[in-house]
Amino acid sequence: MADLPSHLSPRASTTHVVLIPSYNPGRKVLDTVSAARAQWTPVWVVVDGSTDGSTDWLREMAASDPGLRVIVQTQNQGKGAAVLAGIEQAAREGFTHALTMDSDGQHPAELIPDFMRASQAVPEGMVLGVPVFGAEAPRLRVWGRKISNGWANLETLGMGVGDSLYGFRVYPITPLAQVMRNQRFMRRFDFDPEAAVRLCWAGVRPVNLPAPVRYFTPEEGGVSHFKYLRDNTLLTWMHTRLFLGFLWRLPWLVFKRLS
Ligand SMILES: Nc1nc2c(ncn2[C@@H]2O[C@H](COP(=O)(O)OP(=O)(O)O)[C@@H](O)[C@H]2O)c(=O)[nH]1
Ligand SMILES: [Mg+2]
């Protein structure tokens, strides 16, 4: 850590790791990772078959920063699959919690310490970011989110998922890995909502914290891999299977809510 200015060398956590799944994020990933490193040690980036040169930039960054690790998967497998690879490695090394954030600069790195503190206060819970949108946020995305949130709240019988889609979260690793290993879904953009719902079903309590989200124009380096038709179809299928899961859990969920 001697190479880093003191503000970049916070004490390394042995329980909480920042995990950044990354797929072709462009240069924004460098700002994202620097901002995360300024707030937390350790930070791991899972490069998921990127072809935009970011693997080399990140490896170069990690070469002079022991608090940064770059895990490279050669084939693109999706956001959820990248998070799973990261948490399985983290579990092997004794970490208990992972803060996930996007690699494209949309999430507020300056809130990492607050989110980690909230997780340390309620280690059995999951800390969910609730997006605070700027005026630049695309209306279609904001409305799409309301629909997904409505479904998630129904599927959990109002257990308190403040936002189903926002990826700025702290997860307890053991229940998340368990939920993911039990089925083959949740590997792509269906990861965030399905994780929130299934963890509620597994008894993991949501703790909601507001967190601003930024949308960058392409000129500002903004990149999105969300494809409206492909990913809304994926999300519709996801809510269909979650709704079916909800139906057969309904008696148990009602019992839980009443008690
Ligand atoms: N590992 C991995 N991460 C991805 C993939 N697609 C998206 N991501 C991550 O998920 C985040 C959100 O995706 P993004 O394309 O920005 O979607 P949007 O923010 O909803 O428009 C990105 O910043 C990446 O960190 C993928 O195929 N693999
Ligand atoms: Mg994004």
Side-chain angles (χ1 to χ4, degrees):
M1 197 66 58
D3 295 330
L4 292 173
S6 59
H7 73 284
L8 278 185
S9 34
R11 203 160 50 84
S13 173
T14 53
T15 56
H16 286 60
V17 59
V18 170
L19 200 57
I20 307 181
S22 184
Y23 173 61
N24 287 354
R27 306 288 307 182
K28 271 271 181 255
V29 70
L30 300 178
D31 301 340
T32 309
V33 172
S34 302
R37 282 291 296 120
Q39 302 293 341
W40 202 258
T41 306
V43 171
W44 294 2
V45 183
V46 183
V47 175
D48 184 29
S50 293
T51 52
D52 62 349
S54 56
T55 314
D56 291 340
W57 311 331
L58 288 163
R59 278 184 167 148
E60 207 169 299
M61 228 176 144
S64 59
D65 178 2
L68 173 64
R69 184 185 301 184
V70 181
I71 298 168
V72 178
Q73 309 195 126
T74 48
Q75 294 273 329
N76 178 251
Q77 296 174 47
K79 178 179 183 176
V83 171
L84 182 58
I87 60 171
E88 290 201 310
Q89 184 58 35
R92 283 193 285 274
E93 297 184 27
F95 291 94
T96 53
H97 293 76
L99 181 148
T100 55
M101 66 185 284
D102 288 0
S103 61
D104 59 358
Q106 290 196 266
H107 293 176
E110 67 280 5
L111 293 184
I112 292 172
D114 288 352
F115 272 58
M116 294 302 205
R117 263 193 297 275
S119 162
Q120 282 154 350
V122 188
E124 71 285 5
M126 56 180 161
V127 185
L128 304 181
V130 179
V132 180
F133 292 108
E136 81 289 2
R139 294 296 101 186
L140 205 53
R141 296 299 292 275
V142 177
W143 277 98
R145 190 174 287 263
K146 286 188 201 263
I147 296 171
S148 181
N149 289 347
W151 278 111
N153 279 307
L154 172 66
E155 289 148 5
T156 56
L157 223 54
M159 285 176 174
V161 174
D163 188 86
S164 59
L165 287 161
Y166 200 15
F168 191 71
R169 294 177 171 171
V170 188
Y171 290 106
I173 288 175
T174 304
L176 179 60
Q178 219 156 27
V179 154
M180 292 190 78
R181 277 192 220 112
N182 282 343
Q183 31 88 12
R184 62 193 170 83
F185 304 113
M186 299 171 69
R187 298 309 192 257
R188 293 196 171 267
F189 274 114
D190 48 359
F191 169 71
D192 298 288
E194 193 153 357
V197 170
R198 288 192 184 274
L199 284 175
C200 274
W201 289 349
V204 177
R205 178 155 70 88
V207 174
N208 296 296
L209 287 185
V213 56
R214 296 187 60 187
Y215 281 85
F216 297 101
T217 61
E219 295 72 40
E220 293 170 315
V223 185
S224 175
H225 302 290
F226 188 89
K227 296 203 168 67
Y228 278 86
L229 185 62
R230 180 198 68 184
D231 291 313
N232 281 319
T233 306
L234 183 79
L235 293 178
T236 303
W237 161 227
M238 176 204 70
H239 279 302
T240 307
R241 67 177 176 265
L242 287 178
F243 186 69
L244 295 175
F246 157 75
L247 286 181
W248 80 259
R249 285 178 180 83
L250 191 54
W252 178 83
L253 287 170
V254 170
F255 171 76
K256 282 284 281 185
R257 291 296 283 145
L258 290 178
S259 60

